[in-house]
Amino acid sequence: MATPTFAAAIPIFNTFVHPSAQARVAEVLTTTFLSEGKLVREFEARLASELGMAHPAALNSGTSALHLAMAVAGIGPGDEVILAPQTFIASAIAIVQEGGVPVFADIQYDNGNIDPASIEGKITSRTKAIMAVHWGGYPCDLDEIHALARKHNLVVIEDAAHAPGATYKGRAIGSISDYTCFSFQAIKHLTTGDGGALCCTDPAVAQQIFRRRWFGIDRAHSPVSEIGERVYDLTDVGYKYHMSDYAAALGLANLEEFQERMRFRRQLVRQYEEGLWGVAGVTLFNHQNDRESAHWLFGFHVDNRLEFIRALKAAGIASSVIHDGIDKNTLFGGKREELVNQRRFDETQIHVPLHDALTPEQVEYIINTIKKGW
């Protein structure tokens, strides 16, 4: 069979916009009501009903979700939050913003997630929380993490920027831990252009989140007086983190057929895994059957990585490292050589295209290109 050719290079990411989005957003623009309103509430309701999220508060970014979680959880000066370095810098910046200290535990080399066995040795009297980053959309070992949190009276914050639609032992990510932070940034598989959500399992704490996302004012219980001023009494610091209706309109459009798109991504992942199994120089990540990844990324380990990247580039295929361990940054204290799995991961991880515009024919081409060697 002839090798297929493609008119353009195959990118590693692609922004999905549902065909109904243009009409939905145009309708919002026609109304000229662009800030937080009924569409934000509708978007939140559908996140809860369709993706199983607990009390989702729609926000203007995933980074805002991380910071608001820190603030509401009471992370303060000197408090330590344990997390893995295999993430984007936003995870740790949110801790530093509140005066907290990121403490880095090692990862599991075979999937990039935090290793519960590494967490306990990092716990001190100053530890306040554990952050579980679901790398590439694959859920962390939440049972083990929650057991440690109960033992040491710690808060659990999930960084689920990659994981809308993922499940852990039959439960939706976003319904399990004290706080769960999502991102709907442009290249995520559910996008609002830029946006995020913060979920909380405690309804009372969720109300605090809804209040503090808009300066600390409870919109629902702060009527506008006869003289035109909203009646409220500010009791704590809030932020301008709410989502807008025009962003929510895009999110609502992109929720259409979301589960069908997730099934298609899983099909592409199975095709990759079956095609790359046993290929010399490739080591696939290890994923357990008791959880379902959101499959935002398709990554694995590869020998001679730079040559691999060059070989794929020559064939019109993008491939990329996605985030070396963030502990290397001076702000976070510099590279920890004792995190041996993270350091190995830094040297061998690679990601290849996985997105809604990718076709099975393109995946076959990528697999065959890899099989040719590098």
Side-chain angles (χ1 to χ4, degrees):
M1 187 174 72
T3 301
T5 58
F6 301 99
I10 304 173
I12 197 160
F13 294 119
N14 178 271
T15 298
F16 174 84
V17 177
H18 193 274
S20 67
Q22 187 170 355
R24 281 184 177 268
V25 174
E27 184 178 354
V28 174
L29 296 176
T30 300
T31 69
T32 72
F33 189 93
L34 306 182
S35 189
E36 178 196 339
K38 65 179 183 179
L39 293 187
V40 172
R41 293 190 291 274
E42 182 183 348
F43 183 58
E44 290 167 341
R46 287 186 59 185
L47 290 175
S49 63
E50 297 178 26
L51 299 187
M53 297 184 186
H55 311 292
L59 306 173
N60 58 10
S61 75
T63 303
S64 295
L66 287 162
H67 179 238
L68 188 53
M70 297 299 155
V72 175
I75 305 301
D79 290 338
E80 295 177 348
V81 179
I82 299 172
L83 73 161
Q86 190 55 43
T87 184
F88 184 54
I89 55 173
S91 304
I93 284 177
I95 299 166
V96 174
Q97 279 181 288
E98 288 299 298
V101 179
V103 174
F104 294 104
D106 209 353
I107 62 169
Q108 297 169 327
Y109 178 72
D110 62 2
N111 60 41
N113 281 344
I114 195 168
D115 186 350
S118 179
I119 294 173
E120 190 153 24
K122 304 291 181 178
I123 296 172
T124 72
S125 60
R126 296 181 299 277
T127 306
K128 190 72 172 282
I130 301 169
M131 181 186 290
V133 180
H134 304 309
W135 181 248
Y138 178 69
C140 294
D141 296 328
L142 290 175
D143 281 354
E144 291 84 349
I145 291 168
H146 276 262
L148 287 169
R150 287 191 299 270
K151 179 179 177 181
H152 297 279
N153 194 30
L154 304 176
V155 173
V156 176
I157 300 167
E158 296 179 41
D159 181 341
H162 299 177
T167 61
Y168 178 79
K169 298 187 176 181
R171 301 172 66 188
I173 295 298
S175 68
I176 300 170
S177 297
D178 301 297
Y179 304 91
T180 306
C181 308
F182 291 96
S183 171
F184 307 132
Q185 180 258 352
I187 57 173
K188 297 300 193 296
H189 53 289
L190 174 61
T191 184
T192 60
D194 206 352
L198 176 56
C199 299
C200 179
T201 52
D202 185 329
V205 177
Q207 288 307 307
Q208 185 184 164
I209 290 170
F210 282 105
R211 176 170 53 78
R212 295 184 69 179
R213 75 172 170 183
W214 195 68
F215 301 108
I217 299 172
D218 184 353
R219 279 183 164 177
H221 301 97
S222 54
V224 177
S225 71
E226 191 172 0
I227 64 171
E229 175 75 347
R230 194 177 283 276
V231 179
Y232 62 87
D233 177 27
L234 206 65
T235 57
D236 46 21
V237 174
Y239 311 92
K240 195 175 191 299
Y241 284 171
H242 60 284
M243 181 177 281
S244 68
D245 262 16
Y246 64 86
L250 178 56
L252 285 164
N254 288 337
L255 274 172
E256 298 297 329
E257 300 157 356
F258 178 78
Q259 297 300 342
E260 287 82 352
R261 292 196 291 114
M262 291 298 292
R263 282 192 284 272
F264 179 66
R265 292 177 88 94
R266 290 194 287 270
Q267 173 187 323
L268 295 180
V269 167
R270 285 194 296 270
Q271 185 181 353
Y272 267 133
E273 290 176 338
E274 291 169 4
L276 294 176
W277 179 259
V279 173
V282 170
T283 303
L284 297 175
F285 289 173
N286 182 31
H287 289 175
Q288 298 181 50
N289 294 328
D290 63 355
R291 64 205 74 178
E292 181 63 68
S293 178
H295 297 301
W296 184 57
L297 301 172
F298 185 77
F300 47 88
H301 295 295
V302 67
D303 297 342
N304 303 316
R305 185 172 63 191
L306 189 56
E307 292 304 316
F308 177 92
I309 292 170
R310 289 169 176 166
L312 264 62
K313 184 178 181 180
I317 303 163
S319 60
S320 178
V321 168
I322 299 181
H323 310 323
D324 280 337
I326 63 168
D327 59 321
K328 66 183 178 182
N329 291 279
T330 300
L331 179 63
F332 308 138
K335 188 177 289 188
R336 278 77 165 171
E337 296 297 341
E338 70 274 14
L339 303 180
V340 293
N341 287 333
Q342 180 66 64
R343 300 288 76 90
R344 289 177 63 209
F345 200 92
D346 291 343
E347 296 298 321
T348 60
Q349 59 123 332
I350 193 68
H351 294 80
V352 294
L354 180 63
H355 50 76
D356 292 278
L358 195 65
T359 67
E361 291 75 22
Q362 288 174 317
V363 172
E364 180 182 13
Y365 173 67
I366 294 167
I367 291 169
N368 288 336
T369 301
I370 294 171
K371 284 182 173 179
K372 291 176 182 177
W374 56 94

